[in-house]
Amino acid sequence: MEGKQDVAEGSEALTSPYVLEYTYRRSLGPVVGRFLTGLREGRIEGVRTASGRVLVPPTEYDPESGAAVGDFVSVGVSGVVQTWSWVSEPRKGQPLDRPFAWALIKLDGADTALLHAVDAPSADAMRSGMRVTVRWRAERVGSIHDIACFVPGDEVQAAEPVAPAEPVRRMKSPVHMDFTIGAGRTLSRFLEGVVQGKLLGRRCPTCAKVYVPPKGACPTCGVPFADEVVVSDTGTVTSFCIVNVPFEGQTMKLPYTYGSVLLDGADIPILHLISGIPADEVRMGLRVKAEWLPEGERQPTLASIRWFAPTGEADAPYESYAEHQ
Amino acid sequence: MKTRCAVIGVGQTKHAAKRDDLSLAGLVREAALRALEDAGLGWADIDAVVIGKAPDFFEGVMMPESFLADALGAVGKPMMRVHTAGSVGGSTAIVAAHLVESGVHERVLTVAFEKQSESDAMWALSPKYPFVPPLVAGAGGFFAPIIRSYMRRSGAPVDVGAVVAVKDRLNALKNPYAHLHMADISLEKVKASPMLWDPIRYLETCPSSDGACAMVLASEAAAKRAPNAPAWVRGTSVRSEPAQFAGRNQVNPRAGVECAADVYAQAGITKPREQVDVAEIYVPFSWFEPMWLENLGFADEGQGWRMTLDGVTALGGALPINPSGGVLSTNPIGASGMIRFAEAAQQVRGRAGEHQVAGARTAVGHAYGGASQFFAMWVVSSASA
Ligand SMILES: [Zn+2]
């Protein structure tokens, strides 16, 4: 999809790779915590429900009755494959780096199945009803990955002992998603202008308001924008914030000031950095002008404007921007 | 409307920075069990479950309505999830109320939660995004310029925010479920706390909390069999507006004004300041108390701060605001709106405990979310009509 031509507008719709990732910290609660503590110690535990079923992996509440469960029972390390799916090209983060099967495995003594990997030589070696047995990881930490995988057959391999430790209470849960973000043709056109040092707004044919950056349609009238309008790179600070607190993903040196800047000729302010002035002298009504990166360094992003700096003009009267905060 | 709807059970967790003793399932369960106990009911008595939480990034759980069904006794029952950003706790309760009022279900369990300790709200609200410079630092960074605009427009003295911060933390001392219990809070302490997002100081911001809130809503027939006094739902309203448009009034958003007007009309309220006995409104940063007093019609535009400084909004004042301690003392984001709705209900049921407003008969619950663009409100009363 990258670099896709937008024939309708004759201009290129910009795309960008985008990675969204984070490592969540889960509190496990008493039931899943005990299950993972068991895995660390080389033991698989399930829970027995009021109706006598043994759930492995355990759930905190009985899916049949909603009652809390608490009767823990150990089950076997071998069991029967209920069904399976072959993975011919394993992906990063999966249990094995060679082709393997995902399988639902009902362990001996359990009434429900556990999802895990079976290390089989090929898909031909897999079938529903086959018996498989746990292969433990040597270094176990209290995670489902303490089970390295299952292997065909009944040959039990003892888990190597691990040093005693506190019961497992939490786990890390990393997520990672790869996206390709499209800017869309309206924003792409605006960003092309930014590379050329121009701010291109668009005017609503109904209410005549000028939006910069433009949107596809007017948010109040619901009609597509019409004329393109060149908006000044000089404007008025309508309000601002001085940031003194760091946050994840933040790249600016603290403290920094950003403000709503109502560009001359626009009807909606943009947010940008305010610089070239001590933070405690930034004020509402301050007149500022864009400080552009040199032409060769500009990218299709508003970061091509380094910041807005004071023009030295007299402050704009409050009435001129009161409606644009 | 086929039947009137009443709150017959309310439950909250003990809110805290980190409820490491509980999984997400255990967290919602704690609140739900308390609501059922208050209503004198068991899981089997519930017809449907409506659950709400704020953005999925907050815990990275994409379908809580499936994941949490076992914990909420919802297997084999209708269960749905509501999502309207920070206002979700309110809109979730409203969806549940409509299921009762329409006659579809007789008793609905509604639950909202957030377990903020599992991630980082600043990250979840301000992820770096292509084509856009990373400027805005979380919710505080977003709302700081709006608060500055309010201060300029209203001419309010600079310490109004600190007065709210102290009042709500003192109220929280009377609420055993509140996250923050700051016995030594004072104006001096608030003013000496670090300036995070100028003009917002650290002690003028809400905490990050783990917590859940649950309510059992019932039809008129079911409410008459409830062991404890019901809170009758007299009006519900939801409104929204775009985050950005030319001439948008971010300080006093039109969607909020219209949401309030609608819910008052349903409840027969013409003079909210006189007819409402107590309100629980969504104040995550202290200055939002005077801002919302104006937006919700309790004060004229530019005058809300006078009510705060005159002590009108204090416990014991003519219109106590957030006697529970509010969002400034407890903020499990997705649950925060439902806590407002539930605390309003507890006031008119006479079950608010130490922070009870004497003789409260009519109360307002309010929530907002997004860029001050999603609003949810209800009016509850001790009388059914
Ligand atoms: Zn328009």
Side-chain angles (χ1 to χ4, degrees), chain A residues 204-209 211 218-223 225:
Chain A
C204 172
T206 304
C207 67
K209 301 288 188 193
Y211 280 72
C218 177
T220 46
C221 308
V223 297
F225 281 122

Side-chain angles (χ1 to χ4, degrees), chain A residues 34-50:
Chain A
R34 177 158 167 176
F35 173 70
L36 294 182
T37 303
L39 294 185
R40 190 181 62 197
E41 290 162 10
R43 184 177 70 242
I44 304 178
E45 283 186 314
V47 289
R48 193 189 308 277
T49 69

Side-chain angles (χ1 to χ4, degrees), chain B residues 6-7 11 31-32 38 42 94 102 104 110 141 174 190 196 211 241 260 286 292 303 315 335 357-358:
Chain B
V7 180
D38 184 8
I94 288 175
S102 62
V104 173
T110 184
K174 298 176 186 295
V190 176
L196 301 185
E241 68 183 39
S286 59
W292 291 147
Q303 303 299 313
L315 199 45
V357 173

Side-chain angles (χ1 to χ4, degrees), chain A residues 2 13-19 178-184 187, chain B residues 129-131:
Chain A
E2 268 173 68
L14 296 162
T15 61
S16 170
Y18 180 45
V19 175
D178 287 298
F179 297 89
T180 300
I181 298 289
L187 185 60
Chain B
Y129 202 73
F131 311 116

Side-chain angles (χ1 to χ4, degrees), chain B residues 23-115:
Chain B
S23 64
L24 275 180
L27 189 77
V28 294
R29 177 100 167 178
E30 183 173 298
L33 280 174
R34 286 176 181 163
L36 286 175
E37 189 187 356
D38 184 8
L41 301 174
W43 298 113
D45 301 312
I46 297 298
D47 303 322
V49 179
V50 184
I51 190 166
K53 72 180 293 300
D56 293 337
F57 285 170
F58 280 35
E59 291 91 3
V61 175
M62 303 302 160
M63 293 178 70
E65 70 281 16
S66 297
F67 177 52
L68 299 171
D70 291 354
L72 295 171
V75 174
K77 294 175 185 175
M79 179 161 177
M80 70 160 98
R81 183 256 182 113
V82 178
H83 181 17
T84 60
S87 73
V88 68
S91 56
T92 302
I94 288 175
V95 169
H98 291 179
L99 287 174
V100 172
E101 289 173 339
S102 62
V104 173
H105 298 300
E106 222 183 339
R107 295 188 197 87
V108 176
L109 173 68
T110 184
V111 187
F113 71 95
E114 214 71 67
K115 205 160 187 307

Side-chain angles (χ1 to χ4, degrees), chain B:
Chain B
M1 194 187 298
K2 282 210 164 162
T3 171
R4 295 178 204 285
C5 171
V7 180
I8 61 165
V10 168
Q12 291 183 52
T13 54
K14 165 61 189 153
H15 310 293
K18 190 171 181 137
R19 286 296 305 267
D20 206 20
D21 55 322
L22 296 174
S23 64
L24 275 180
L27 189 77
V28 294
R29 177 100 167 178
E30 183 173 298
L33 280 174
R34 286 176 181 163
L36 286 175
E37 189 187 356
D38 184 8
L41 301 174
W43 298 113
D45 301 312
I46 297 298
D47 303 322
V49 179
V50 184
I51 190 166
K53 72 180 293 300
D56 293 337
F57 285 170
F58 280 35
E59 291 91 3
V61 175
M62 303 302 160
M63 293 178 70
E65 70 281 16
S66 297
F67 177 52
L68 299 171
D70 291 354
L72 295 171
V75 174
K77 294 175 185 175
M79 179 161 177
M80 70 160 98
R81 183 256 182 113
V82 178
H83 181 17
T84 60
S87 73
V88 68
S91 56
T92 302
I94 288 175
V95 169
H98 291 179
L99 287 174
V100 172
E101 289 173 339
S102 62
V104 173
H105 298 300
E106 222 183 339
R107 295 188 197 87
V108 176
L109 173 68
T110 184
V111 187
F113 71 95
E114 214 71 67
K115 205 160 187 307
Q116 286 216 59
S117 69
E118 304 215 341
S119 80
D120 180 335
M122 290 275 275
W123 168 80
L125 291 170
S126 309
K128 220 175 141 207
Y129 202 73
F131 311 116
V132 185
L135 289 176
V136 177
F142 181 84
F143 290 119
I146 301 175
I147 289 170
R148 188 182 300 281
S149 297
Y150 173 73
M151 294 163 83
R152 171 70 176 77
R153 285 188 199 183
S154 65
V158 290
D159 53 359
V160 171
V163 170
V164 176
V166 171
K167 176 201 64 141
D168 283 5
R169 270 53 173 273
L170 290 175
N171 288 350
L173 293 173
K174 298 176 186 295
N175 176 2
Y177 297 109
H179 170 179
L180 296 182
H181 283 143
M182 309 172 88
D184 59 347
I185 190 76
S186 67
L187 283 177
E188 294 66 37
K189 279 219 153 82
V190 176
K191 290 181 195 170
S193 66
M195 189 65 95
L196 301 185
W197 302 278
D198 196 337
I200 304 176
R201 290 188 183 279
Y202 174 65
L203 285 175
E204 293 180 276
T205 68
C206 53
S208 283
S209 313
D210 286 358
C213 180
M215 290 188 284
V216 178
L217 303 187
S219 68
E220 192 158 9
K224 287 193 171 142
R225 300 194 294 273
N228 294 313
W232 295 96
V233 177
R234 300 292 297 274
T236 60
S237 188
V238 171
R239 287 289 186 282
S240 60
E241 68 183 39
Q244 290 179 315
F245 59 88
R248 176 170 189 233
N249 190 338
Q250 296 193 87
V251 174
N252 192 8
R254 182 172 148 189
V257 171
E258 292 181 354
C259 188
D262 180 36
V263 82
Y264 296 152
Q266 292 171 41
I269 292 171
T270 50
K271 294 180 180 145
R273 171 129 179 217
E274 288 151 42
Q275 292 167 280
V276 174
D277 299 314
V278 51
E280 284 277 343
I281 66 180
Y282 202 108
V283 177
F285 301 100
S286 59
W287 279 91
F288 273 86
E289 174 172 301
M291 288 162 67
W292 291 147
L293 286 173
E294 297 169 24
N295 192 243
L296 304 184
F298 292 121
D300 291 336
E301 193 158 9
Q303 303 299 313
W305 58 272
R306 293 185 196 275
M307 287 176 69
T308 299
L309 286 192
D310 290 348
V312 175
T313 63
L315 199 45
L319 178 59
I321 301 291
N322 296 328
S324 68
V327 180
L328 282 174
S329 304
T330 303
N331 189 30
I333 301 175
S336 290
M338 191 172 287
I339 296 172
R340 309 279 70 71
F341 278 45
E343 286 285 352
Q346 294 295 69
Q347 289 289 346
V348 301
R349 299 175 78 203
R351 292 177 67 79
E354 257 195 274
H355 60 282
Q356 177 70 45
V357 173
R361 294 204 313 258
T362 299
V364 165
H366 162 267
Y368 88 97
S372 291
Q373 65 189 122
F374 304 112
F375 297 86
M377 293 178 73
W378 79 4
V379 173
V380 284
S381 171
S382 54
S384 64

